Amino acid sequence: MEQFLQQLINGLAVGGIYALIALGYTMVYGVLKLINFAHGDLFTYGGYLGLTLLTSLALQGRVGTAAAVALLVLMVMGLVGVMGVVLERAAYRPLRESPRLSAVVSALGASIFLQNALMLLYGARVQVYPEGLLPQVAVSLFGLQVPLLRILVVLASVVMMAALYLFVQKTKIGTAVRAAAIDQGAARLMGIDVNKVVSLVFLIGPALGGVAGLLVGLYYGQVNFTMGWIYGMKAFTAAILGGIGNIPGAMVGGLLLGVIEALGAAYLSIAWKDAIAFCVLILILIVRPTGLLGERVAEKV
Amino acid sequence: MNRAMGLALALGLLASGSAGAADTIKIGLMAPMTGSWASEGQEMKRNIDLLAEQANAKGGLDGKKIEVIIEDDGGDPRTASLAAQRLTTKGVVAVIGTYGSAVTEATQNIYDEAGITQVANGSTAVRLTEKGLKHFFRTCPRDDEQGKVGAAAIQKMGAKRIALLHDSSAYAKGLADEINAILKANKQNVVFFDALTPKEQDYSAILTKLKAATPDVVFFTGYYPEAGLLLKQKKQMGWNVPFMGGDAINNPDLVKIAGKDAAAGFQFLSPPVPKDLDTPEAKAYLASYKKKYGEEPGSIYGVLAGDGFTAVTKAIAATKSTDADKIRDYLVNKLKDFPGLTGKLAFNAKGDRVGELYRVYKVDKNGEFVLQPK
């Protein structure tokens, strides 16, 4: 029982990160029907930019921990968001009228470009965050070890998901985003600047991915230039699991995937952890092709 | 008729092309310059560049300059087979590399069929030299030798319950199997045997499961990035079990990833790094490396690539030939106790390096790797 609960906590903490990255996938897919394969690499840039800002601005020790983290989050969100907008302009917008496959290939190309650029800029070695910025305190609850940072990671993802959900559902710009997601042509006729909406989506999605990269760097203390691939795959799976295009779905999918992996590792085999997670994905897609929270959209005839 | 003439012309051009290139001796380096082992590949390049520079400054090889031709294998078997094919068309007489066992395996037959000597530097999987390929050598020891040293180190600790963890790579799985077989044969209690997925950041699920098996020691046979994270997260969990590791952990980045506190006390097996060798050759090399790059070589595999280079160039110089059969004959039958950068160099008929290389290292509280007495 103790091991079960501990694994549940482990899984939720990893799942929180998956969820945060999955939000970016799901937003872009919702509006453009494009899987942004470069999203995982934008996540990696978040981790690297966070490290560079932390060391070059000498934040550590000069301002308090809370202020340093808040500043880092804001700056990383801004920078990675801008990267996302530039990426869309350079790699996706010129292909918007082309067959969808062209944009997917372009996304894969952008991913390889971003990854190699990072390697050339920072070198191939693992980059390490300075120690001791965040206190590594663990709460002991009924014999379970719950590091405070893990709670922070899950909380941060829930807060950001909620804010994003409210933004899309309750604001005027959010309505424009939803309109563009349903039918870009009709939205344009209604006076919505679809290009601006797409830019906005490519600002918010990557910004969230960047924060996830920063959290990974802060918590695990280590970033490497290839880490975007595996996190990207997992987050992509989480988005599909929850119902791609659906914001709460990304959250549910991320947390669920984290828990499935942790329990799969604990009770079946560690080596088969990923295989188990992907088998669950396939099963769910057979039973519910739209994902857990996705709705079946009736095509108008 | 036209086609035949064109073919003849092309062949003629090719022949004159290769004749014109004969004023240098080309040595290939196949290394992971990109991908997740890129840091290893870049160190391999540093060592080979330095040695080629030194050799050329002394007048080259057999009166000709040495030209190093690099191909990136990306640490990936598919990329590597393409890299090997490109190298075979570039007139290299021998190839140094590469690092990973599975990557080397994808290229062995390509070089063998082309009659090119290959000297791997980090590929320790047993089967690579059991295939009977004539022109394949390696400067690193094999997993079965490391398995013996690993099992002995575990027994020396007096551990009763032993956990073995690998990462499913050809190297790590092979080493874990070797150790497991020896421990089982000695009636030792292996309570855990499983694999993690490399390149992830979070190993808390695995550590929780490991902890539930209550081992006295955990032997992880994978690579340093994962080892560093395991040590760090083990400490965060508040679990104090000794960890040991194999030779793929010999990289100073281990301490950076884990943090000095978490890395202290960790033990691993490795061929000795140059700074622990007291031969004049090793000392002189270390000084020249530091002069050129401003730091000591961090990775043993880069230095082992250098040993491959010295062995091959020595064979070419001694036989005054670049013929792969003559190089083989020299390396197997004539090269004895040659002072390499990592100790004495010699090869057996399988192409394996002769002699015991492995030592036990321990990380001290300052994060330094300290050679343990034998």
Side-chain angles (χ1 to χ4, degrees):
Chain A
M1 190 60 192
E2 187 183 313
Q3 206 204 140
F4 175 79
L5 289 175
Q6 182 74 57
Q7 291 291 13
L8 205 62
I9 293 164
N10 294 341
L12 284 175
V14 184
I17 304 239
Y18 292 163
L20 209 47
I21 312 172
L23 286 174
Y25 270 112
T26 237
M27 273 192 86
V28 169
Y29 184 84
V31 173
L32 283 182
K33 302 285 173 288
L34 164 76
I35 306 291
N36 179 16
F37 279 113
H39 189 63
D41 296 288
L42 292 173
F43 153 85
T44 315
Y45 274 81
Y48 274 79
L49 283 170
L51 175 63
T52 306
L53 291 171
L54 188 63
T55 48
S56 61
L57 297 181
L59 281 175
Q60 192 170 14
R62 200 176 283 183
V63 293
T65 302
V69 173
L71 272 172
L72 275 179
V73 167
L74 284 178
M75 285 190 286
V76 167
M77 276 185 103
L79 287 170
V80 180
V82 169
M83 281 187 70
V85 173
V86 172
L87 174 74
E88 191 267 329
R89 279 285 168 89
Y92 303 142
R93 191 170 293 182
L95 296 168
R96 193 151 336 139
E97 306 304 324
S98 315
R100 203 172 291 166
L101 195 59
S102 315
V104 172
V105 174
S106 182
L108 285 170
S111 163
I112 294 169
F113 172 81
L114 287 173
Q115 192 182 101
N116 280 297
L118 204 58
M119 187 193 83
L120 293 172
L121 285 171
Y122 284 88
R125 293 169 79 166
V126 169
Q127 300 284 316
V128 183
Y129 270 63
E131 271 186 271
L133 176 68
L134 292 175
Q136 306 277 354
V137 189
V139 194
S140 220
L141 279 175
F142 313 110
L144 299 175
Q145 290 286 321
V146 189
L148 281 179
L149 279 173
R150 301 195 144 226
I151 305 175
L152 190 83
V153 168
V154 178
L155 275 183
S157 0
V158 172
V159 167
M160 288 199 204
M161 194 241 18
L164 186 64
Y165 185 72
L166 289 177
F167 171 76
V168 172
Q169 294 296 330
K170 304 285 177 196
T171 65
K172 207 170 165 187
I173 312 172
T175 313
V177 172
R178 279 183 290 141
I182 295 167
D183 187 333
Q184 290 194 10
R188 208 172 277 125
L189 289 176
M190 292 293 131
I192 293 170
D193 187 340
V194 172
N195 277 338
K196 270 197 185 147
V197 168
V198 171
S199 290
L200 182 72
V201 165
F202 267 93
L203 184 76
I204 297 174
L208 294 173
V211 171
L214 175 65
L215 286 176
V216 161
L218 285 173
Y219 180 63
Y220 298 114
Q222 176 236 46
V223 287
N224 64 71
F225 68 96
T226 54
M227 71 177 184
W229 171 248
I230 194 140
Y231 273 101
M233 279 313 284
K234 293 282 173 65
F236 173 55
T237 310
I240 292 180
L241 195 60
I244 194 153
N246 182 308
I247 290 170
M251 194 75 205
V252 171
L255 294 177
L256 196 64
L257 187 69
V259 170
I260 293 171
E261 274 186 9
L263 295 182
Y267 295 104
L268 295 157
S269 164
I270 293 172
W272 285 78
K273 189 183 80 162
D274 290 355
I276 294 161
F278 286 108
C279 281
V280 171
L281 173 77
I282 293 168
L283 279 179
I284 287 186
L285 287 183
I286 291 171
V287 183
R288 253 191 92 85
T290 51
L292 288 174
L293 299 188
E295 286 150 28
R296 195 175 295 274
V297 184
E299 290 281 334
K300 268 189 210 137
V301 186
Chain B
M1 197 62 190
N2 258 340
R3 186 180 289 176
M5 275 176 71
L7 195 67
L9 191 67
L11 281 175
L13 279 175
L14 263 179
S16 66
S18 52
D23 45 355
T24 60
I25 290 182
K26 293 181 181 172
I27 308 263
L29 170 64
M30 184 176 69
M33 302 304 290
T34 57
S36 44
W37 297 329
S39 60
E40 292 289 356
Q42 285 163 10
E43 289 231 354
M44 287 161 67
K45 178 177 184 298
R46 279 181 161 195
N47 284 281
I48 302 289
D49 280 348
L50 173 60
L51 285 166
E53 204 174 88
Q54 287 177 350
N56 283 336
K58 283 184 198 152
L61 193 57
D62 208 5
K64 294 170 191 159
K65 291 276 179 228
I66 299 173
E67 188 184 346
V68 177
I69 298 181
I70 295 183
E71 281 290 343
D72 177 16
D73 63 45
D76 166 65
R78 280 158 297 181
T79 319
S81 63
L82 294 174
Q85 274 154 9
R86 276 199 297 277
L87 275 176
T88 56
T89 61
K90 286 186 176 170
V92 296
V93 297
V95 171
I96 312 301
T98 189
Y99 178 64
S101 290
V103 188
T104 294
E105 185 152 32
T107 64
Q108 281 182 300
N109 287 332
I110 298 170
Y111 293 126
D112 192 62
E113 279 164 21
I116 293 173
T117 307
Q118 179 180 15
V119 190
N121 57 312
S123 315
T124 52
V126 172
R127 64 173 179 275
L128 296 180
T129 43
E130 293 292 334
K131 297 173 177 173
L133 294 176
K134 265 178 81 182
H135 305 122
F136 180 80
F137 297 87
R138 57 177 152 196
T139 48
C140 55
R142 300 190 344 172
D143 286 341
D144 48 356
E145 200 206 322
Q146 184 172 189
K148 275 182 228 153
V149 182
I154 290 170
Q155 281 165 334
K156 201 174 156 192
M157 279 184 69
K160 297 272 182 297
R161 297 170 65 83
I162 300 145
L164 293 172
L165 182 66
H166 62 92
D167 67 8
S168 297
S169 66
Y171 154 75
K173 174 83 168 37
L175 178 56
D177 283 340
E178 293 289 342
I179 296 178
N180 196 18
I182 297 170
L183 291 175
K184 285 255 165 76
N186 292 345
K187 304 256 187 320
Q188 299 270 315
N189 189 12
V190 177
V191 293
F192 184 98
F193 187 91
D194 209 340
L196 53 74
T197 316
K199 291 187 203 168
E200 289 191 355
Q201 306 268 25
D202 194 302
Y203 291 117
S204 51
I206 289 148
L207 286 166
T208 304
K209 190 178 180 188
L210 262 172
K211 192 181 175 186
T214 61
D216 298 328
V217 63
V218 178
F219 198 106
F220 173 60
T221 59
Y223 293 81
Y224 63 91
E226 287 79 26
L229 283 170
L230 283 170
L231 290 172
K232 187 186 173 103
Q233 288 167 23
K234 168 178 83 96
K235 181 149 192 295
Q236 284 173 354
M237 281 172 61
W239 184 32
N240 290 320
V241 68
F243 261 59
M244 296 183 81
D247 59 357
I249 283 167
N250 189 355
N251 191 306
D253 281 353
L254 172 88
V255 180
K256 278 175 50 190
I257 297 166
K260 280 178 192 165
D261 286 353
F266 178 70
Q267 295 190 37
F268 61 88
L269 315 173
S270 173
V273 290
K275 72 178 169 63
D276 294 322
L277 288 174
D278 49 7
T279 64
E281 287 80 10
K283 279 184 175 161
Y285 182 69
L286 207 60
S288 61
Y289 190 99
K290 209 166 177 179
K291 194 176 159 212
K292 185 167 163 76
Y293 300 113
E295 56 185 353
E296 288 179 356
S299 152
I300 184 69
Y301 297 103
V303 185
L304 285 168
D307 267 343
F309 182 88
T310 24
V312 164
T313 47
K314 168 82 183 156
I316 293 173
T319 58
K320 296 198 182 306
S321 161
T322 55
D323 182 68
D325 287 329
K326 287 186 181 151
I327 293 177
R328 176 191 156 79
D329 178 57
Y330 183 84
L331 288 180
V332 173
N333 298 322
K334 311 241 168 61
L335 191 79
K336 296 282 176 254
D337 292 343
F338 179 68
L341 309 171
T342 57
K344 286 176 180 166
L345 267 178
F347 297 95
N348 64 19
K350 286 177 178 170
D352 281 317
R353 185 164 174 179
V354 179
E356 275 187 22
L357 264 181
Y358 280 106
R359 301 283 185 278
V360 177
Y361 276 84
K362 191 171 189 173
V363 185
D364 72 4
K365 61 180 189 300
N366 298 321
E368 300 288 331
F369 295 166
V370 183
L371 183 68
Q372 299 298 296
K374 230 179 162 183

